[in-house]
Amino acid sequence: MQGGRIMLLREEKLNRIYECEDTLEGILTGIYQAWDASYGHAYIHLTVPAAGESESMLLFSEYHTVVPDAKQAQKVIQTIRKKTSEKVCEKLLGALYSTNPEKADAVYHVLPEAFRMGWRVIGNLADPYMQAVFEMNRAVRNEAHEYLGFLRFEEQKNGVLLARFSPKNDLLELVAPHFADRFPGENFVIYDTGRKKAAFHQQNGPLVIRGLFEEELACFFQISPKEAQFQAMWRLFFETVAIEERTNKELQRNFMPYRYRTYMTEMH
Amino acid sequence: MAVIYQQNMSLEEKLRILSDAAKYDVACTSSGVDRAGGAGMAGNSVAVGICHSFGADGRCISLLKILFTNECIYDCKYCINRSSNDIVRTAFTPEEVCTLTMEFYRRNYIEGLFLSSGIMHSPNVTMERIVKTLRMLRETYRFNGYIHCKAIPGADESLVEMAGWYADRMSVNLELPTAEGLRQLAPHKNRKNILQPMRKIQNGIEESRELLGACGGNKGSYWHTRRKLEGKTELQKQEEDAALFARDRGKIRGLNPHILTGVSPEGAGRSMSGVQQKDAVPKADFWGTGLPDEDLLMPSAQGGLAEADGYGDTSCRIWKESASAAEGRYGIHAGHETLSCRTARGFVPAGQSTQMIIGATPETDFEVMSVAEALYQKFDLKRVFYSAFVRVNDDASLPVLPGGPPLLREHRMYQADWLLRYYGFAAGEILTRERPNFNVLLDPKCNWAIGHLEMFPVEVNQADYFKLLRVPGLGPKSARRIVEARKSAVLDFRDLKKLGVVLKRALYFITCSGRMLYSTKLEEDYIVQHLLDASEKLPAHLSEDHFTYRQMSLFDVGGMLENG
Ligand code: SF4
């Protein structure tokens, strides 16, 4: 009975689902278009279907596929920045790098309240969307910060420094600029093994992030002759510098959970 | 004294020996300076600090922490490198240190270098090697990452200054909290020799800030907390400092003006070897009667801290002499090139720190914390580190601690240090002459609160920031949020939880709009009992099964009896 009534209500107005590409640009474009439609926030949902995934179609919903549009995305960022604050904007954008599939929807639904309250929305933890967005942002920023330290580069035969990692959240855009600033004179690649994409940096050149081709992968993993020696010395240092009388693996694990260790030279 | 000095040792072997010998230094942090990278250079620096790994002891690894050499002419009882130990000695070359730093850095193993050293030949020779290494790293290898180096007590001030232009942070270790302790365990060191370079660096930082503005580095958290407590703006407090400093300036020179302007003084270009031979640092009566070292950092007989820090006119005259004697020596590398430092980085922009060994000598916790407070006040230190004593030498003058290093005591000190730097507590509030040791069961803040129940309960909707900070279960973050949030609403207990307050600890000490959460008694025994039940979350290494009361040193047990 109950179900029937809901169906009836829904029949009057269909849910509208915007399927966005899982990139900053894709989601922001989705936000732009959904907002622009003035369809009623309650009936709008944004999703980021994973590539190749055919989402189980919900009944009584109409689907829109969003084609990313740089201009529209840019407009959304500008508006958020203007109507709230730099800090709020940073948090909202941070959440969009999350691995959580609800992120696009959560950010979208935060906006009406954020535009009403301006920068004050930051204190509004009572709003469940806001809470979710802040939580996602926090998780993203934390993980990104950890990888600034835990990422390991290996020198390849051609002198290129290659780092591999497999973060929970989509961190390349957040992590790579730090290393471009740090190593302006190096050629380096940071490869997200899970998402099969990488950040490329050429000596004193710009940073490019894109998918990785199989052929490109094949020419990696040929470490330079010196590489093994420095890896060995790093392991040696790592082991020597710990104080035996204070041994405490649990503390070590708290600070450096196993999931970060996959590509860490000193843990193998 | 047996020195087995090995020629032709491999880099691996040197690294093993010289990192092993450096590991007891705890100041492994890369925080305190933000610096973007630049073309043609390698590296940047991030103020919040980045941990690159965690060792098997759970400590953060962020710097390549090594000694330049483990050779040493001194014989500090607690130190593995002391001259009387029969161990293999070795030394890096500056090139080797640079190679290791650069190669580790570009693989993202480290944030930078932490360079300490045993004393080879003399303090000056040692300091000169350190400076040479840093200079090479910065100028030849174009390293732009983080560098922490030691100032060697007794080294010429011009060398200390040179190092300061290349380093981000410098430290001179106090080693032991009291002059008496030093006399017993580090007979070749004394307080004057340690405090002199500390003061030198402090004044250098002050001048560099004045001349270079923001890139001269910012003030420490202790300074900011005091400023807020005194209700002053940054500018007001700075001006006040500047006035104090101006009075002092004639006495202790911070920086060589020639370096700042890039103009080299007469006679520059002479090789550093001049310093080694002349050993320009005056010996025994250098400080004349001007510096009563015992009283410099210790609580005076009256209970307060000795105000006069002893840098009187006598020392002033000698400083000037020593300064002019050093003027001619700035051609620090053997060539004839005159020196022009890059001053854009600032002078020791991440400030200075120090370290004390805890548990090797019988100081009370009160004494240790009073010394720490004096260091923050008088030397503007960024951090004081506490290092639980590890007995590496079998020496009759060293205590035997059956439970191993006094880790809980060390932990309490870091907690108390936090209270000094961020909460506006004075050392004399946390501990007293009558109760000179930490409570083993309660953290220092809870311990203070139950001793001062007359200050509670605190009304959350009214109390000022620093009153809020004194409530157990509240920290700087939650206190700040409360002050912010109550501008627009009257807060109740549910809000507090959202703002990050740990209610199960705070509930005995606060009211919201005049009401307490439960009807609890404001009575010592009752609260202690409940706080212990809602037990403190100790870090893993202290709460694990392997921690028992046996692990506490004699001094800890003393503290337990005092406070129990
Ligand atoms: S001076 Fe003392 S603490 Fe430093 S290396 Fe020499 S013996 Fe060790």
Side-chain angles (χ1 to χ4, degrees), chain A residues 1 22 31 56 86 111 159 161 187 195 206 212 233 243 268:
Chain A
M1 274 313 280
D22 192 359
I31 290 175
S56 55
E86 190 57 48
L111 289 179
L161 293 170
N187 295 316
R195 293 177 180 79
L212 204 64
M233 285 203 276
I243 296 176
H268 303 286

Side-chain angles (χ1 to χ4, degrees), chain B residues 253-481:
Chain B
R253 207 198 48 176
L255 302 175
N256 185 323
H258 298 295
I259 290 201
L260 272 179
T261 54
V263 180
S264 87
E266 289 289 307
R270 260 205 279 160
S271 115
M272 274 316 295
S273 55
V275 178
Q276 299 164 27
Q277 283 145 19
K278 274 198 312 202
D279 206 8
V281 179
K283 290 269 154 52
D285 62 341
F286 179 38
W287 291 98
T289 51
L291 189 58
D293 63 348
E294 273 90 335
D295 294 332
L296 185 52
L297 290 171
M298 289 312 296
S300 70
Q302 287 77 41
L305 284 165
E307 264 317 309
D309 62 5
Y311 284 90
D313 287 340
T314 329
S315 33
C316 143
R317 186 169 44 80
I318 297 166
W319 262 104
K320 277 184 190 147
E321 279 169 19
S322 162
S324 57
E327 301 262 289
R329 297 196 206 99
Y330 276 99
I332 193 141
H333 66 322
H336 296 286
E337 207 180 313
T338 52
L339 179 89
S340 61
C341 265
R342 275 170 50 94
T343 54
R345 202 182 288 109
F347 182 83
V348 198
Q352 63 174 330
S353 63
T354 193
Q355 158 177 331
M356 289 186 258
I357 301 167
I358 302 306
T361 42
E363 288 88 9
T364 62
D365 296 337
F366 176 57
E367 283 175 298
V368 175
M369 295 321 296
S370 300
V371 168
E373 182 178 55
L375 287 167
Y376 286 128
Q377 277 171 359
K378 297 182 177 175
F379 289 85
D380 189 27
L381 291 197
K382 275 280 169 69
R383 287 294 302 271
V384 174
F385 292 93
Y386 311 85
S387 172
F389 170 62
V390 180
R391 198 172 195 272
V392 291
N393 294 327
D394 193 15
D395 191 300
S397 59
L398 297 171
V400 179
L401 308 178
L407 296 180
L408 178 62
R409 192 171 176 218
E410 179 196 273
H411 178 65
R412 289 278 181 257
M413 284 178 180
Y414 280 110
Q415 289 178 319
D417 187 84
W418 206 257
L419 295 183
L420 296 182
R421 285 188 300 131
Y422 292 102
Y423 289 70
F425 275 85
E429 291 180 289
I430 303 168
L431 297 161
T432 60
R433 202 165 289 283
E434 291 71 42
R435 284 179 148 197
N437 291 311
F438 289 116
N439 187 326
V440 183
L441 302 173
L442 287 177
D443 70 75
K445 192 173 156 190
C446 273
N447 197 42
W448 175 85
I450 58 159
H452 293 83
L453 290 178
E454 72 281 0
M455 318 276 277
F456 298 102
V458 158
E459 171 55 47
V460 170
N461 284 297
Q462 273 157 23
D464 70 30
Y465 173 75
F466 282 101
K467 265 225 175 84
L468 290 173
L469 267 187
R470 296 202 162 210
V471 176
L474 261 82
K477 214 175 202 169
S478 47
R480 232 176 297 130
R481 284 184 188 151

Side-chain angles (χ1 to χ4, degrees), chain A residues 6-243:
Chain A
I6 286 173
M7 269 165 62
L8 274 176
L9 277 176
R10 290 271 161 94
E11 252 175 335
E12 286 159 14
K13 187 159 181 172
L14 293 177
N15 273 326
R16 213 182 251 184
I17 295 175
Y18 288 83
E19 294 187 321
C20 312
E21 184 190 282
D22 192 359
T23 57
L24 212 55
E25 196 176 297
I27 297 169
L28 290 170
T29 306
I31 290 175
Y32 182 92
Q33 295 179 0
W35 194 280
D36 209 35
S38 318
Y39 188 70
H41 299 314
Y43 298 93
I44 283 183
H45 295 286
L46 274 69
T47 62
V48 282
E53 180 188 287
S54 64
E55 200 167 330
S56 55
M57 291 275 183
L58 293 168
L59 285 174
F60 312 113
S61 303
E62 58 178 64
Y63 283 78
H64 289 242
T65 303
V66 176
V67 181
D69 179 308
K71 259 202 195 122
Q72 296 183 351
Q74 204 51 47
K75 276 187 195 160
V76 173
I77 293 183
Q78 277 162 6
T79 310
I80 295 175
R81 199 171 279 152
K82 214 166 69 208
K83 294 203 164 199
T84 60
S85 70
E86 190 57 48
K87 209 163 149 193
V88 175
C89 184
E90 206 175 277
K91 285 189 197 253
L92 297 186
L93 295 184
L96 294 183
Y97 294 105
S98 168
T99 183
N100 188 331
E102 309 286 322
K103 62 187 174 181
D105 204 45
V107 170
Y108 178 83
H109 285 104
V110 152
L111 289 179
E113 192 67 358
F115 290 164
R116 204 177 56 78
M117 292 179 75
W119 61 270
R120 278 185 202 80
V121 76
I122 239 163
N124 186 19
L125 291 172
D127 181 334
Y129 286 119
M130 202 59 189
Q131 224 173 341
V133 165
F134 280 2
E135 185 42 46
M136 286 181 227
N137 171 67
R138 207 186 51 81
V140 166
R141 306 275 173 191
N142 281 354
E143 197 189 20
H145 183 80
E146 299 289 20
Y147 273 115
L148 296 189
F150 295 157
L151 213 63
R152 295 286 176 269
F153 288 89
E154 297 180 308
E155 192 187 61
Q156 310 298 304
K157 270 191 179 142
N158 53 8
V160 172
L161 293 170
L162 170 70
R164 288 171 289 167
F165 73 151
S166 181
K168 269 192 201 160
N169 301 295
D170 190 0
L171 299 181
L172 269 182
E173 281 181 40
L174 298 177
V175 166
H178 169 82
F179 292 100
D181 183 48
R182 172 160 291 202
F183 306 133
E186 302 277 2
N187 295 316
F188 69 78
V189 179
I190 303 173
Y191 174 36
D192 181 336
T193 56
R195 293 177 180 79
K196 302 261 181 281
K197 57 180 189 174
F200 296 82
H201 178 266
Q202 258 189 8
Q203 191 174 13
N204 302 318
L207 199 59
V208 177
I209 296 176
R210 60 164 170 80
L212 204 64
F213 305 112
E214 289 295 324
E215 315 87 75
E216 286 177 314
L217 259 179
C219 71
F220 288 150
F221 312 127
Q222 298 196 322
I223 59 170
S224 75
K226 274 195 316 189
E227 181 59 25
Q229 189 202 353
F230 285 110
Q231 290 195 2
M233 285 203 276
W234 170 239
R235 283 189 201 102
L236 176 87
F237 174 79
F238 176 78
E239 267 146 39
T240 319
V241 84
I243 296 176

Side-chain angles (χ1 to χ4, degrees), chain B residues 136-180:
Chain B
M136 185 181 286
L137 193 53
R138 288 285 195 219
E139 293 184 359
T140 310
Y141 288 77
R142 314 285 288 157
F143 178 68
N144 196 33
Y146 193 88
I147 298 180
H148 178 155
C149 88
K150 294 272 150 183
I152 304 293
D156 193 280
E157 62 158 310
S158 60
L159 287 167
V160 172
E161 177 176 347
M162 285 293 297
W165 285 111
Y166 295 118
D168 289 293
R169 171 165 289 182
M170 289 187 75
S171 58
V172 194
N173 281 356
L174 201 62
E175 309 288 11
L176 297 159
T178 58
E180 179 51 32

